[in-house]
């Protein structure tokens, strides 16, 4: 079974909305404007590109990343990688050219089926709504979290408020950086 890794920039109070400056959120761009940049705090981002064999995105994140990431040197390893977009509304005409093979999935059940295929780890960036659905369904195997020393208040949260049984996580890697960012890598205990 393939490992599904969720990677996220998250504020201390759990907000994941618009870390890179996506429009429509009052604190958009909070990862760049409110915390000093330290390259070592983002080392895991390069490692994710080296280890992943496919990328999974929700429609909103796909529409935000697809016009920009294909030509960015920082994300070059993702360009040839197969991509999967989970959406009930996106059509084939909404996919961009030149960013590798892209397949539309329509449900968490199709994500579960993808995990049963051959291949290595699947990385999921952003995609707050999709993250909550897949986490609630027990489909995420690992979390790569860069926790920023910020309280943002309102905004899309990483985890849902669904009433569910506790799920145990095992901390497999962690580090704190001089700018206050904390890296936490958790495996889901099954």
């Amino acid at each position: 079974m393939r490992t599904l890794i969720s990677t996220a920039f998250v504020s201390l109070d759990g907000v994941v909305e618009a870390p890179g400056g996506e429009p429509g959120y009052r604190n958009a761009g909070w990862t760049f404007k409110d915390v000093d940049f330290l390259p070592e705090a983002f080392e895991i981002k390069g490692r994710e590109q080296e280890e992943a064999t496919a990328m999974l995105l929700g429609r909103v994140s796909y529409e935000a990343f697809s016009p920009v990431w294909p030509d960015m040197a920082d994300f070059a390893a993702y360009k040839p990688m197969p991509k999967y977009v989970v959406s009930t509304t996106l059509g084939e005409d909404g996919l961009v050219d030149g960013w590798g093979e892209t397949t539309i999935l329509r449900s968490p059940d199709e994500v579960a089926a993808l995990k049963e295929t051959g291949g290595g780890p699947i990385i999921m960036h952003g995609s707050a709504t999709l993250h909550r659905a897949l986490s609630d369904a027990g489909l995420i195997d690992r979390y790569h979290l860069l926790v920023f020393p910020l309280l943002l208040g309102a905004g899309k949260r990483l985890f849902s408020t669904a009433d569910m049984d506790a799920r145990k996580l095992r901390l497999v890697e962690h580090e704190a950086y001089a700018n206050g960012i904390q890296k936490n890598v958790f495996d889901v205990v099954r």
Side-chain angles (χ1 to χ4, degrees), residues 8 14 19 25 27 40 50 58 64 82 95-96 106 108 126 134 137 147-148 164 174 178-179 182:
Y25 177 58
N27 290 316
E40 59 269 25
E50 293 169 8
L95 300 177
V96 299
R106 299 294 182 196
L134 298 180
V147 182
F148 283 69
M164 65 177 87
H174 63 91
N179 61 359
Q182 296 178 20

Side-chain angles (χ1 to χ4, degrees), residues 62 70 78-83 95-103:
Y62 177 78
Y78 286 136
K79 190 169 185 172
M81 192 178 293
K83 286 151 208 78
L95 300 177
V96 299
D97 292 327
W99 200 28
E101 173 191 345
T102 304
T103 304

Side-chain angles (χ1 to χ4, degrees), residues 127-185:
S127 308
T129 301
L130 177 61
H131 177 277
R132 289 189 298 272
L134 298 180
S135 178
D136 287 355
L139 293 174
I140 297 175
D141 303 296
R142 175 173 274 200
Y143 295 94
H144 289 184
L145 305 177
L146 286 180
V147 182
F148 283 69
L150 299 169
L151 299 174
L152 298 174
K156 291 180 185 174
R157 305 287 172 170
L158 183 61
F159 296 100
S160 79
T161 58
D163 185 12
M164 65 177 87
D165 292 337
R167 290 197 184 133
K168 186 172 180 174
L169 306 176
R170 180 175 38 267
L171 183 65
V172 295
E173 183 180 342
H174 63 91
E175 192 160 350
Y177 302 96
N179 61 359
I181 292 175
Q182 296 178 20
K183 173 180 63 181
N184 294 295
V185 177

Side-chain angles (χ1 to χ4, degrees), residues 44-100:
I44 194 167
K45 295 294 151 197
R47 195 166 13 122
E48 288 170 350
Q49 290 184 68
E50 293 169 8
E51 295 173 359
T53 61
M55 185 187 300
L56 182 71
L57 297 164
R59 180 191 53 82
V60 173
S61 291
Y62 177 78
E63 289 175 345
F65 299 156
S66 64
V68 181
W69 280 21
D71 296 322
M72 288 182 70
D74 289 344
F75 303 108
Y78 286 136
K79 190 169 185 172
M81 192 178 293
K83 286 151 208 78
Y84 298 89
V85 182
V86 182
S87 174
T88 59
T89 59
L90 184 67
E92 294 290 330
D93 60 336
L95 300 177
V96 299
D97 292 327
W99 200 28

